[in-house]
Amino acid sequence: MTELTNQRVYLSASLVAIPLFVLWSWRQRRLNIEAAEMAQTPTKTVVIIGASWAGIPVAHGLLKDVPNAKVVLVNPSEDFYFNIASPRLSTKPNDIPREKYIYPIAPLFDKHANAKKNFEFVLGKATSIDLQSKNVIVQDVNSGSTKTLAYDYVVIASGSTSNATTGTDSLQVPFKESGTTKLEAELKAAQEAIKSAKSIIVGGAGAVGVEFAGEAAEAYPSTQVTLLTNSDNVLTGLREPTRQKAAKLLKQKGVKILTDKTVTSASRDAAGKWNVVTADGQTLTADIYVSTTGVLPNNEFIPASLLNKDGWVEVDSHFVSKADPSVYAVGDITQYSARLVSRISGQVSVLLSNLKADITGKGKRGTYKDDSSLIVVMPIGKSTGTGQLGSFTPPGFMVSFIKGKDYFTGSGKKFIAG
């Protein structure tokens, strides 16, 4: 009898304990979920100005590693332009399909689980930064209306432009993102002008000038392509074997190289011809003139207090503005002169470590050391080219394999996919 009574007691206790345990487990799970959600709730806002080679990786890095940051990415175009391929895109319109060099920006961030809560893409052009109130003023590219974006930190990644990209004293050729919604129309107009030209003058024999001249000469062998350099040979600053090889390959394709020619002015006459005046008093005439010299900062919206005398954002080795600790800058817009895509990943890595430390109060701060070694490969047409990999000049077949076949567009999206 006693044993039966004990069994009934144990059974009654179990019937009470099991629901209580289930309720306790559910409540603990709920508390854990709420704690996780609170940890994911943004407490700081980072506004990134510019969605190209630097701005997009910064946004990816914050969404991945800084869950309490709200990321607002501002850009005047809804698409990313793979401008590395611009020398070929402008000269050989049918070589590379559109989807290989233009990608919608916003969908790149769908992969992040916290994107719906923590990410916002703003289609607009930054017109000013109010450092005192910590606001970025953005103008809608379609309606012209403005909106104010408050920030705790702002990352300036607006990059640079060029005379050809803006069409200043040059045929407009978008070697860089033009900062407008008319990129495809600009590219098509350039393609048509280049195709119809019987003579082309290219001003500037740096990497872009050499690539463009080689691509144009290969695409249109009956067109006279003349390349102007202000030194004794092309590719000033690179190793002599690289320079000599580039000149040889260009001449093999029919490119005429004029040395010691500094362009002082270029303009179109009433007949539509381009007249290019050089410092030695010579006037050269061609159907089109394409400038590949000069790099100009996209700084119209940036307060003067953040800029150096040449118009670049002055940052320290942490990519923090020397004038305002809530301002970061990275990529082409900074004072670092080696404005190459190959340098940006290292810069972004340092910036992210420091911005994360500022937001969370944890983690090691990074320091950037500007690497003086140069890695550049330049196709001169599809099958050959030259370059400089440290102290090594790669053979033409290697340049063709690495970059010449498609200018990296075959795997282009991986560069910005995050």
Side-chain angles (χ1 to χ4, degrees):
M1 185 69 178
T2 303
E3 183 178 346
L4 180 60
T5 300
N6 289 338
Q7 288 178 350
R8 287 175 178 173
V9 171
Y10 293 149
L11 178 60
S12 298
S14 299
L15 291 174
V16 174
I18 290 173
L20 288 174
F21 177 75
V22 171
L23 182 62
W24 177 84
S25 298
W26 177 85
R27 180 169 175 74
Q28 286 299 116
R29 182 171 177 270
R30 188 68 224 160
L31 289 172
N32 290 337
I33 291 173
E34 289 175 356
E37 288 177 346
M38 288 180 66
Q40 294 292 322
T41 300
T43 58
K44 299 291 184 181
T45 297
V46 181
V47 175
I48 303 170
I49 303 173
S52 191
W53 295 103
I56 289 176
V58 170
H60 279 303
L62 288 172
L63 288 170
K64 181 181 177 182
D65 295 329
V66 190
N68 60 330
K70 168 76 174 181
V71 180
V72 183
L73 183 60
V74 180
N75 200 62
S77 171
E78 61 186 359
D79 296 318
F80 172 85
Y81 175 46
F82 196 85
N83 67 297
I84 290 175
S86 57
R88 180 160 298 166
L89 295 175
S90 57
T91 55
K92 300 172 182 174
N94 300 318
D95 264 31
I96 302 173
R98 180 190 184 279
E99 63 270 17
K100 292 289 185 69
Y101 62 89
I102 292 181
Y103 323 123
I105 293 169
L108 295 171
F109 299 93
D110 291 344
K111 59 181 283 185
H112 299 284
N114 58 342
K116 287 187 178 180
K117 180 186 291 186
N118 290 24
F119 177 73
E120 180 183 0
F121 177 70
V122 176
L123 180 61
K125 185 178 180 65
T127 58
S128 64
I129 302 175
D130 186 333
L131 298 175
Q132 186 172 0
S133 61
K134 291 191 174 183
N135 289 321
V136 176
I137 310 303
V138 178
Q139 183 177 52
D140 187 285
V141 295
N142 296 315
S143 67
S145 62
T146 61
K147 67 187 301 183
T148 300
L149 303 176
Y151 67 83
D152 294 289
Y153 297 94
V154 62
V155 178
I156 303 174
S158 53
S160 62
T161 189
S162 65
N163 287 333
T165 299
T166 61
T168 304
D169 300 328
S170 168
L171 176 74
Q172 187 173 20
V173 182
F175 289 126
K176 290 179 170 286
E177 171 63 62
S178 63
T180 72
T181 57
K182 301 176 181 179
L183 171 65
E184 290 184 83
E186 293 165 354
L187 182 57
K188 184 176 181 181
Q191 292 168 340
E192 291 175 349
I194 293 166
K195 181 179 180 180
S196 62
K198 298 302 180 186
S199 56
I200 300 172
I201 294 175
V202 182
V208 174
V210 165
E211 288 182 342
F212 176 78
E215 294 290 337
E218 182 174 89
Y220 307 107
S222 62
T223 298
Q224 176 58 62
V225 178
T226 302
L227 180 62
L228 309 182
T229 173
N230 63 2
S231 69
D232 62 338
N233 201 351
V234 300
L235 301 175
T236 301
L238 270 63
R239 296 176 66 247
E240 195 58 32
T242 299
R243 301 179 72 199
Q244 292 178 5
K245 183 177 180 182
K248 179 180 178 180
L249 293 173
L250 287 167
K251 290 175 182 177
Q252 288 175 352
K253 291 190 178 297
V255 176
K256 183 179 180 181
I257 299 173
L258 299 183
T259 59
D260 299 313
K261 297 292 183 183
T262 299
V263 176
T264 56
S265 67
S267 60
R268 296 183 71 178
D269 59 24
K273 293 282 188 179
W274 281 86
N275 296 302
V276 180
V277 180
T278 59
D280 59 2
Q282 187 176 5
T283 298
L284 306 170
T285 302
D287 291 332
I288 61 175
Y289 169 70
V290 178
S291 172
T292 64
T293 62
V295 183
L296 309 170
N298 289 324
N299 64 3
E300 299 87 353
F301 64 95
I302 303 174
S305 61
L306 302 179
L307 304 175
N308 67 12
K309 63 181 180 62
D310 296 317
W312 307 101
V313 179
E314 191 79 22
V315 294
D316 61 19
S317 59
H318 306 298
F319 292 100
V320 180
S321 165
K322 293 183 178 180
D324 189 321
S326 66
V327 177
Y328 278 79
V330 67
D332 278 14
I333 192 61
T334 69
Q335 81 272 15
Y336 290 108
S337 59
R339 296 180 173 90
L340 300 169
V341 172
S342 59
R343 300 285 176 88
I344 290 179
S345 62
Q347 295 184 5
V348 168
S349 176
V350 171
L351 181 148
L352 284 171
S353 68
N354 293 312
L355 190 50
K356 180 180 179 180
D358 279 346
I359 293 172
T360 65
K362 302 176 182 178
K364 184 179 180 181
R365 297 188 70 83
T367 300
Y368 182 66
K369 296 180 180 179
D370 197 14
D371 187 2
S372 60
S373 64
L374 189 62
I375 298 176
V376 58
V377 287
M378 293 157 288
I380 300 177
K382 287 185 178 181
S383 61
T384 190
T386 187
Q388 186 169 313
L389 307 178
S391 60
F392 173 62
T393 298
F397 74 86
M398 181 182 292
V399 175
S400 175
F401 178 77
I402 294 173
K403 184 178 178 182
K405 59 182 180 181
D406 65 359
Y407 273 77
F408 300 130
T409 56
S411 57
K413 202 167 186 179
K414 295 178 181 178
F415 286 84
I416 55 167

